[in-house]
Amino acid sequence: MRKQVKGRKFGRKRDQRRALMKHLSVALVEHGKIETTEARAKELRPFIERWVTKSRGASSLGTYRLVISALGEPTAQKLRDDIAPRYKERNGGYTRIVKRLPRKGDAAKRAIIEFV
C-alpha cells in the first residue's frame, strides 16, 4: 500500500528523476507546449510553476541565479524575459494539461502540457 507518499518515482533514481524534470521543463519553456505521458505532465506542473513564480521576481540576482542553477542559463533567461512577464498579475496556474488519446503501442495515457 502506497501510504500517501508524495511524488512519483517513474522507476528511476533521484538524480534521474531530477534530470527528467529539468529536461521536460527546458523543453516546455523552449517550445511553449509538449506532449508527454499524463503522469509526467502532472509531476511537471508544480515543478515548472515554482520556477515561473521565482522568475517573476527575478529582478534580484540571487533568485535569477537560483533559476539558472535549476534550468540552465538560456532557459532561465527566456523564462525571465519572455514567459514571466505574461503572468505578472496572475497568482499561479500558469500551465494547462489537456488529456489525449492513449498511445497505441502500450496504451499509456498521454497529455499535452502548455502555458496558459
Side-chain angles (χ1 to χ4, degrees), residues 37-72:
T37 63
E38 191 177 318
R40 287 179 181 176
K42 286 180 177 181
E43 279 296 307
L44 179 61
R45 173 184 264 171
F47 184 84
I48 192 66
E49 289 191 2
R50 188 173 305 122
W51 294 115
V52 171
T53 302
K54 285 195 186 299
S55 60
R56 276 175 50 193
S59 57
S60 72
L61 187 59
T63 54
Y64 181 58
R65 284 181 175 169
L66 275 175
V67 179
I68 288 174
S69 70
L71 302 177

Side-chain angles (χ1 to χ4, degrees), residues 5-99:
V5 177
K6 184 180 176 185
R8 293 173 176 87
K9 294 201 183 253
F10 296 119
R12 299 165 190 255
K13 295 187 178 185
R14 183 191 65 188
D15 293 339
Q16 293 172 343
R17 285 193 303 272
R18 286 181 182 171
L20 174 69
M21 287 298 116
K22 177 183 176 180
H23 291 311
L24 285 174
S25 56
V26 166
L28 181 60
V29 169
E30 185 178 323
H31 299 290
K33 71 177 184 177
I34 56 172
E35 182 177 334
T36 183
T37 63
E38 191 177 318
R40 287 179 181 176
K42 286 180 177 181
E43 279 296 307
L44 179 61
R45 173 184 264 171
F47 184 84
I48 192 66
E49 289 191 2
R50 188 173 305 122
W51 294 115
V52 171
T53 302
K54 285 195 186 299
S55 60
R56 276 175 50 193
S59 57
S60 72
L61 187 59
T63 54
Y64 181 58
R65 284 181 175 169
L66 275 175
V67 179
I68 288 174
S69 70
L71 302 177
E73 188 162 5
T75 305
Q77 187 174 1
K78 184 170 182 179
L79 201 59
R80 181 187 65 179
D81 296 339
D82 299 340
I83 295 172
R86 291 191 292 186
Y87 304 113
K88 252 329 189 199
E89 302 300 320
R90 196 175 179 109
N91 294 326
Y94 315 118
T95 56
R96 167 189 306 132
I97 295 177
V98 181
K99 295 181 181 180

